[in-house]
């Protein structure tokens, strides 16, 4: 009995509110660095490489990335079911679930790699307008096919770590991988290496990261993370009823997050891909900040569903949404305000012409990203899985059509605005259904969740609009940095003091002090 109580206590600590705050704090500190590294990498490579060459590199990365989103829903199933199995002290089933997911993704990876290789063999590269003469395109496509089998299945271990609620470790290891791959790719570009070698340099650090997470997952489980026996099929059937709907929904994520670059390449040519990608990267940077919070929500929501039902998620949704909005709204408003000097310094004066499109896209995204915490929490409710996935798929399909239509008619700016426009048109349907499922009135959700966290940063933005022409005229880095720091201090301090609740502020300070005390103790320990 004492062993059972000990296990229950360990599991409760693993998925406690304190752990969620710790994960959020680590993500809040590290994710901006990861995003900054990606932005710096883009700013360097767009100057070092010809547009067509960089476009090929981005297309190859997009092929691998689109399958990273399209995993059959199995990894998100791990995030959802590992907490349940831990609550029930089914550690062997955790290992079986990880093994079954890894084996299934290896099979999918083999099929996907063969498909990309066949596509290349029959001359599929020709769909990217008249750019098939770019060196490295066909060879790079074969390398992308190999990467789908080698690196893609290993992301199973990232999902396992997140299922154990160790998002901070996944984030820190990703930071290390991003630093290494940026140094390697930039060095390769300076040395004049071809696209194929640049792609290899970008892929190897990610593989090393996943192997490290496999080692950590085994340590956390306390037994082998790989378990091959007759129980694998039973566990796979248990989680598959959830993952099959996630698989359908992930087609939408693939269309939105990776296939869009392939569509732009086919519609406007490979040379347009880096221009589109730069705008999307800034939007994705803002999106990743919101994803930081909503990814953390699912294991906690799943644990609360197992112990207390839907009612337990009411406060989680409202508090999580408020925290998300208070954290990432300042980032969005700052980028909106400084869009012109950022683009000019980042990628050149010509790129600053796309600042109006970026500003419109960011403001549309701000309201589209608001329900991400709610969506993650609702994903823990079995009855809502079908609706969530089919709805996301329909939005993504509409976005893909709009990318092609607006892109061919209005160029890169039109393609960039296609996704936020399509989301704005259909989100009201989404709100109505999901809020009813979690029992939160729409007015309460908007006032206590969205606006409660977002209004301080939005107020600073509104007061700063008259200064927009002056800010757009800033050109040198020291001036932009100095002015940006002043606005950042005002915006983030306002969000911290008035956007976060008193409980959030208290927990945040406790987590910071606890981390500082831990580091201090380690520094004082004798070696």
């Amino acid at each position: 009995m004492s062993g059972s109580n000990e296990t229950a206590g360990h599991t409760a600590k693993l998925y406690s509110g304190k752990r969620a705050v710790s994960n959020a704090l680590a993500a809040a500190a590290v994710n901006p660095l990861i995003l900054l590294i990606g932005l710096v990498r883009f700013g360097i490579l767009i100057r070092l490489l010809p547009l067509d060459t960089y476009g090929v590199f981005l297309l190859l990365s997009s092929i691998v990335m689109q399958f990273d989103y399209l995993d059959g829903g199995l990894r998100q199933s791990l995030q959802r079911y590992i907490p349940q199995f831990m609550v029930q002290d089914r550690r062997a089933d955790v290992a079986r679930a990880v093994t079954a997911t890894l084996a299934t993704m290896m099979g999918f990876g083999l099929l996907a790699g063969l498909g990309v290789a066949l596509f290349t063999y029959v001359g599929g590269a020709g769909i990217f307008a008249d750019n098939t003469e770019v060196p490295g395109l066909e060879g790079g496509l074969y390398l992308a096919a190999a990467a789908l089998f080698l690196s893609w299945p290993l992301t199973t271990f990232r999902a396992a770590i997140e299922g154990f609620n160790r998002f901070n470790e996944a984030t820190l290891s990703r930071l290390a991988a991003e630093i290494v791959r940026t140094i390697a790719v930039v060095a390769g570009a300076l040395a004049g290496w071809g696209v194929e070698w640049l792609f290899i340099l970008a892929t190897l650090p990610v593989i090393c990261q996943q192997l490290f997470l496999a080692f950590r997952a085994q340590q956390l489980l306390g037994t082998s993370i790989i378990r091959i026996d007759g129980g694998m099929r039973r566990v796979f059937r248990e989680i598959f009823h959830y993952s099959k709907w996630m698989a359908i929904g992930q087609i939408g994520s693939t269309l939105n997050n990776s296939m869009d670059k392939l569509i732009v390449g086919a519609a406007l040519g490979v040379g347009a891909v880096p221009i589109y990608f730069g705008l999307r990267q800034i939007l994705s940077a803002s999106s990743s900040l919101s994803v930081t919070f909503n990814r953390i929500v699912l294991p906690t929501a799943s644990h609360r569903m197992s112990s207390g039902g839907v009612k337990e998620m009411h406060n989680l949704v409202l508090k999580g949404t408020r925290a998300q909005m208070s954290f990432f709204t300042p980032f969005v408003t700052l980028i909106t305000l400084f869009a012109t000097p950022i683009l000019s310094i980042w990628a050149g004066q010509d790129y600053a012409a796309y600042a109006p499109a970026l500003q419109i896209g960011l403001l549309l995204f701000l309201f589209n990203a608001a329900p991400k915490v709610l969506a993650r929490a609702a994903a823990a409710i079995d009855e809502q899985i079908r609706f969530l996935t089919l709805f996301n798929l329909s939005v993504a399909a509409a976005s893909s059509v709009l990318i092609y239509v607006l892109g061919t008619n209005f160029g890169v700016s039109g393609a960039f605005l296609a996704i936020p426009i399509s989301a704005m048109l259909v989100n009201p349907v989404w709100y109505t259904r999901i809020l009813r499922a979690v029992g939160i009135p729409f007015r309460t959700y908007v006032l206590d969740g969205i606006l409660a966290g977002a209004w301080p940063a939005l107020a600073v933005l509104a007061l700063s609009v008259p200064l927009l022409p002056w800010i757009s005229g800033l050109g040198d880095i020291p001036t932009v940095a100095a002015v940006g720091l002043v606005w950042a201090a005002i915006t983030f301090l306002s969000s911290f003091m008035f956007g976060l609740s008193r409980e959030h502020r208290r927990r945040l300070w406790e987590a910071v002090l606890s981390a500082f005390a831990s580091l201090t103790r380690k520094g004082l320990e004798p070696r």
Side-chain angles (χ1 to χ4, degrees), residues 112-410:
L114 290 174
V116 172
L118 180 62
F119 169 83
T120 307
Y121 179 76
V122 299
I127 70 168
F128 301 112
D130 57 351
N131 291 281
T132 53
E133 73 276 4
V134 175
L137 178 56
E138 290 194 3
L141 287 172
Y142 285 117
L143 284 174
L148 290 175
F149 177 69
L150 294 174
S151 66
W152 181 46
L154 292 177
T155 57
T156 297
F157 299 113
R158 184 185 70 204
I161 283 288
E162 292 172 349
F164 286 117
N165 216 16
R166 295 281 182 162
F167 288 86
N168 51 350
E169 296 187 22
T171 304
L172 287 169
S173 63
R174 185 186 168 198
L175 173 63
E178 287 296 318
I179 293 173
V180 172
R181 74 196 300 241
T182 297
I183 294 173
V185 172
V186 170
L190 287 171
W193 289 8
V195 172
E196 299 99 321
W197 281 107
L198 295 180
F199 178 73
I200 291 173
L201 291 174
T203 303
L204 287 178
V206 178
I207 294 177
C208 294
Q209 177 209 5
Q210 302 304 330
L211 293 175
F212 166 75
L213 293 179
F215 171 74
R216 284 294 296 135
Q218 181 157 302
Q219 285 186 322
L220 291 170
L221 185 61
T223 184
S224 176
I225 198 69
I226 301 297
R227 189 182 184 96
I228 304 175
D229 59 22
M232 280 176 54
R233 184 175 300 177
R234 169 182 56 80
V235 173
F236 185 78
R237 283 198 304 266
E238 184 175 351
I239 68 175
F240 184 68
H241 83 93
Y242 178 84
S243 64
K244 65 185 178 184
W245 289 108
M246 289 295 99
I248 297 172
Q250 285 179 346
I251 297 174
S253 295
T254 301
L255 293 174
N256 276 343
N257 295 286
S258 191
M259 187 64 74
D260 59 335
K261 296 181 245 336
L262 302 180
I263 295 172
V264 170
L268 302 175
V270 172
V273 174
I275 301 173
Y276 172 83
F277 175 74
L279 297 174
R280 281 284 292 162
Q281 192 174 30
I282 295 177
L283 196 64
S284 297
S286 302
S287 178
S288 296
L289 294 173
S290 65
V291 169
T292 294
F293 284 91
N294 77 70
R295 284 169 69 86
I296 291 169
V297 166
L298 181 57
T300 304
S302 179
H303 183 265
R304 294 190 181 185
M305 273 291 296
S306 300
S307 58
V310 174
K311 291 183 179 180
E312 289 291 321
M313 291 199 297
H314 187 280
N315 287 335
L316 176 67
V317 168
L318 291 179
K319 291 179 180 179
T321 300
R322 181 172 180 175
Q324 174 193 252
M325 297 303 291
S326 66
F327 173 70
F328 91 97
T329 303
F331 282 97
V332 174
T333 56
L334 278 170
I335 297 171
T336 301
L337 197 61
F338 289 83
T340 299
I342 286 174
L343 291 180
S344 178
I345 294 171
W346 180 40
Q349 189 64 41
D350 293 341
Y351 208 55
Y354 295 95
L358 176 61
Q359 290 167 326
I360 295 172
L362 283 169
L363 292 176
L364 290 175
F365 164 76
L366 182 62
F367 295 98
N368 292 333
K372 288 185 178 292
V373 167
L374 176 60
R376 230 9 123 115
I381 307 174
D382 288 340
E383 294 80 3
Q384 300 305 316
I385 297 303
R386 180 181 302 185
F387 171 76
L388 283 171
T389 53
L390 293 179
F391 180 83
N392 290 337
L393 179 60
S394 64
V395 174
S399 300
S400 298
V401 174
L402 275 180
I403 288 173
Y404 188 85
V405 172
L406 295 181
T408 53
N409 286 280
F410 302 101

Side-chain angles (χ1 to χ4, degrees), residues 65-71 75 152 250 253-254 257-258:
M65 185 62 67
Q66 71 181 1
F67 285 97
D68 188 51
Y69 286 102
L70 190 65
D71 63 4
R75 289 178 306 184
W152 181 46
Q250 285 179 346
S253 295
T254 301
N257 295 286
S258 191

Side-chain angles (χ1 to χ4, degrees), residues 4 63 94 108 110 115 128 140 188 233 278 320 365 387 411 414 423 459 466 492 518 522 525:
S4 177
I63 290 172
V94 171
F108 286 159
L110 178 61
F128 301 112
R233 184 175 300 177
F365 164 76
F387 171 76
F492 280 97
S518 177
K522 289 181 179 180
E525 287 177 358

Side-chain angles (χ1 to χ4, degrees), residues 42 45-46 49-58 270-275:
F42 174 87
L45 293 179
I46 200 171
L49 301 173
L51 280 179
D52 284 352
T53 302
Y54 192 27
V56 171
F57 176 80
L58 293 175
V270 172
V273 174
I275 301 173

